[in-house]
Amino acid sequence: MNESFIHSFIRRRAVRAMRETMASMASSWDDVVRRASEASGQPRGATLFLLGLALAPAIALGFPILGVALDVARVRDARVRARVRSSYALVAGSALSLACFGRSTMVCAHFGVASYLVMAAARRRCGGIVFAGSFAYLIRYHMMADTANTWKRGEVDISGLLMVLVLKVSACAMNYQDGATTPASEMSEFQNRRHLKRLPSVLDYASWLMFPCTLVSGPTIEFRDYANWLRDEGVWEGARPSAARAALKKLLGAIACLGMYQAISSKYTIANTYLDPDFDTKYSFLERAWHHHVYGQGNRLKYYFVWMMADFATTVSGLGFSGFDALGNACWDTAANIYPWGVEKSVTLNSIPLNWNVKTGLWLRHYVYDRVTPKGKKPGMTQLLITQIVSGVWHGLYAGYWLFFVTSAFAVNGGRLMYRWKQTCVPARLRFLVDVPLWIFTQLALNYLCAAFTLVDLRQSVAAWKSVYFYGHVGFLVTIVLGALLAPKSKSKSKTA
């Protein structure tokens, strides 16, 4: 009796001590967030997001340290090493999510548990079920949390993390379904590299969803890549080059983008461009177009910074390594979601998705665009529109997103037609005469479209475009008409890989 009482007393004291410790840690963290918010002038949500970005590389450093510790301990079993690495990713990612998003982290469990159960119970249909279910959940969250207007105010919530989880769980389910329903002879090259023969373990699946390096901002990473990295297989087998140089380059690039963003955003803001009630009377057409262009350019730099920081953290972890190129140079682009120079030098709009939000673009290409294209047929405008609509729904059911993505579908199609005309009809030595005006239009048009994506409100988006006489839409129409008249018809019907 006394012994039982003592054990019970000790347990109660231990639980109380743990609760007090956790409460103290939460209080200290809140104090850090408050001070950082006051120092930076950013809202609390944005401050938590930035702190999450800053903490991710430090957490990422734990992976190579863990590898060294396992080597010192002479742990050679690949399965044990994978479990240790996976456990660290799950614990660290969950802790980071709790620090940044608090109790909202529970919705990650909803996503993971529901998707995993569907894959386990209905393998031959799990791709469509998980796709529809995860999108329905995300749409509901977008509507309940009013996420677009939250972002517009400069706040950040967990919706960005949920958006990445939608890409992850739907891709994994489709790849698992492909492994059971699509013969190898009918798979595209992409499906051959990504399909799953076995259901992932619970630990690997959960740690992949909560991988800390890309947790707060994305991008999505394919499960096959993550599983191979855990087990030192594929490109990660054997000795790997040092990540130091690549990581430093990505960090310096992110800092440079942040500095340029701060410089531009200190002068050009949403309040003195799109939302200035006297904007139309205060400036001439060219001045208004210039303000829109510079604000859009600055806003783009913000995304460069965020994605390059996630890429930097993934490179530090070791997962960023993706093999060697044809010249034997190490590549570090597993989590490369943005190629700033590629965006800035794009001559036509159809090349933007190859350099901007790359991993989401690949997801849209391989899990939407290719899969809605009938077998044996060449994808066309219908498939492009469906893909852009899915992208719009993924961002949220707001009119500004619909305006942006539907307009983008026509803009990209016009860019594709102009590119085909240039490549087939303009002599190589004279292409620079075409490239220069096309590049100017592409850059202006990209920042013109930014208005709808930023404002999200239908009336405000239309008013912003109206203030510059819809010059972007006029240009898109001209490229489509000219491209249709000048570009030769494509006769190839090759299968999309």
Side-chain angles (χ1 to χ4, degrees):
M1 180 73 176
N2 290 337
E3 185 176 347
S4 174
F5 173 78
I6 292 172
H7 283 308
S8 176
F9 176 76
I10 292 174
R11 282 197 300 270
R12 287 198 302 269
R13 290 295 299 269
V15 169
R16 183 184 302 173
M18 185 178 296
R19 287 176 178 173
E20 290 175 352
T21 301
M22 292 178 67
S24 176
M25 290 174 62
S27 177
S28 299
W29 175 246
D30 284 340
D31 190 48
V32 169
V33 174
R34 179 182 57 78
R35 292 183 180 183
S37 180
E38 291 173 353
S40 64
Q42 296 292 327
R44 178 180 172 82
T47 302
L48 284 166
F49 179 81
L50 291 171
L51 287 172
L53 282 179
L55 286 171
I59 294 172
L61 192 59
F63 289 105
I65 292 174
L66 197 60
V68 172
L70 290 171
D71 289 339
V72 171
R74 297 183 180 180
V75 178
R76 299 286 184 261
D77 190 319
R79 291 173 298 180
V80 174
R81 294 174 70 94
R83 283 196 293 269
V84 171
R85 193 177 291 171
S86 195
S87 299
Y88 174 72
L90 177 59
V91 172
S94 299
L96 183 62
S97 182
L98 285 168
C100 294
F101 307 117
R103 294 182 179 179
S104 296
T105 299
M106 281 302 299
V107 299
C108 301
H110 299 164
F111 262 81
V113 172
S115 301
Y116 192 86
L117 290 177
V118 170
M119 288 196 297
R123 180 173 189 180
R124 301 183 70 85
R125 301 186 302 277
C126 64
I129 296 172
V130 171
F131 184 97
S134 61
F135 263 86
Y137 191 108
L138 179 64
I139 290 168
R140 176 178 176 272
Y141 190 89
H142 275 316
M143 295 176 66
M144 290 181 61
D146 193 20
T147 54
N149 285 310
T150 298
W151 300 341
K152 189 174 170 181
R153 293 192 300 269
E155 284 281 6
V156 181
D157 58 18
I158 201 172
S159 57
L161 189 161
L162 300 186
M163 291 167 69
V164 176
L165 289 187
V166 166
L167 304 187
K168 283 187 171 184
V169 298
S170 58
C172 190
M174 289 186 198
N175 290 329
Y176 186 54
Q177 179 177 316
D178 285 345
T181 61
T182 308
S185 59
E186 296 180 12
M187 287 185 181
S188 67
E189 180 188 348
F190 182 85
Q191 287 175 304
N192 264 313
R193 288 187 288 111
R194 302 303 184 192
H195 76 277
L196 300 174
K197 296 180 180 179
R198 294 184 297 274
L199 184 68
S201 71
V202 173
L203 177 59
D204 287 355
Y205 188 75
S207 68
W208 169 62
L209 293 181
M210 301 303 292
F211 182 63
C213 301
T214 58
L215 184 76
V216 299
S217 64
T220 180
I221 294 172
E222 290 285 347
F223 181 80
R224 278 278 292 270
D225 287 338
Y226 179 76
N228 286 342
W229 170 68
L230 286 178
R231 291 161 179 77
D232 295 320
E233 297 174 351
V235 299
W236 293 276
E237 186 176 359
R240 295 191 291 272
S242 170
R245 183 175 180 181
L248 180 61
K249 183 179 178 181
K250 294 174 190 292
L251 175 60
L252 293 177
I255 293 172
C257 290
L258 177 62
M260 288 186 284
Y261 167 71
Q262 294 283 22
I264 292 174
S265 63
S266 65
K267 184 174 181 181
Y268 296 88
T269 67
I270 192 172
N272 64 23
T273 49
Y274 301 139
L275 301 182
D276 185 353
D278 302 319
F279 189 65
D280 289 0
T281 57
K282 191 184 299 183
Y283 302 106
S284 67
F285 163 70
L286 289 178
E287 288 174 323
R288 294 196 298 273
W290 173 253
H291 275 71
H292 279 207
H293 178 70
V294 176
Y295 177 79
Q297 187 72 35
N299 204 47
R300 197 154 71 235
L301 288 164
K302 174 176 63 178
Y303 290 93
Y304 290 176
F305 163 71
V306 169
W307 286 327
M308 291 178 79
M309 283 296 294
D311 191 13
F312 163 59
T314 308
T315 299
V316 170
S317 75
L319 177 56
F321 179 65
S322 54
F324 298 92
D325 62 18
L327 299 176
N329 300 313
C331 299
W332 299 85
D333 55 9
T334 301
N337 203 37
I338 185 69
Y339 299 107
W341 183 238
V343 175
E344 300 305 327
K345 69 183 183 67
S346 291
V347 173
T348 52
L349 283 164
N350 61 302
S351 63
I352 296 294
L354 302 175
N355 299 285
W356 169 270
N357 203 357
V358 175
K359 300 304 180 182
T360 301
L362 287 173
W363 182 91
L364 289 167
R365 164 72 185 274
H366 294 295
Y367 298 106
V368 181
Y369 187 73
D370 287 352
R371 292 173 187 258
V372 298
T373 301
K375 287 186 177 181
K377 297 292 184 68
K378 188 176 178 64
M381 188 62 194
T382 300
Q383 286 71 35
L384 182 58
L385 267 175
I386 292 172
T387 303
Q388 291 297 86
I389 289 171
V390 170
S391 183
V393 171
W394 180 65
H395 283 85
L397 297 180
Y398 294 88
Y401 292 145
W402 290 94
L403 287 174
F404 177 86
F405 287 105
V406 173
T407 303
S408 294
F410 290 97
V412 168
N413 191 52
R416 181 181 297 161
L417 292 170
M418 294 303 294
Y419 178 80
R420 188 189 303 163
W421 164 72
K422 184 191 74 169
Q423 293 299 109
T424 56
C425 299
V426 180
R429 68 181 184 279
L430 299 177
R431 284 178 189 164
F432 74 94
L433 296 175
V434 177
D435 285 344
V436 172
L438 283 178
W439 174 78
I440 292 172
F441 172 70
T442 296
Q443 296 304 312
L444 288 171
L446 188 59
N447 292 323
Y448 167 86
L449 287 170
C450 175
F453 191 89
T454 303
L455 293 167
V456 303
D457 179 78
L458 175 62
R459 187 172 298 177
Q460 291 177 351
S461 299
V462 173
W465 284 344
K466 183 180 179 182
S467 71
V468 288
Y469 306 120
F470 297 97
Y471 77 79
H473 284 80
V474 173
F476 302 146
L477 180 61
V478 169
T479 59
I480 291 172
V481 172
L482 285 179
L485 293 174
L486 300 176
K489 302 298 180 183
S490 176
K491 296 181 180 180
S492 62
K493 291 186 179 181
S494 60
K495 182 181 177 182
T496 301

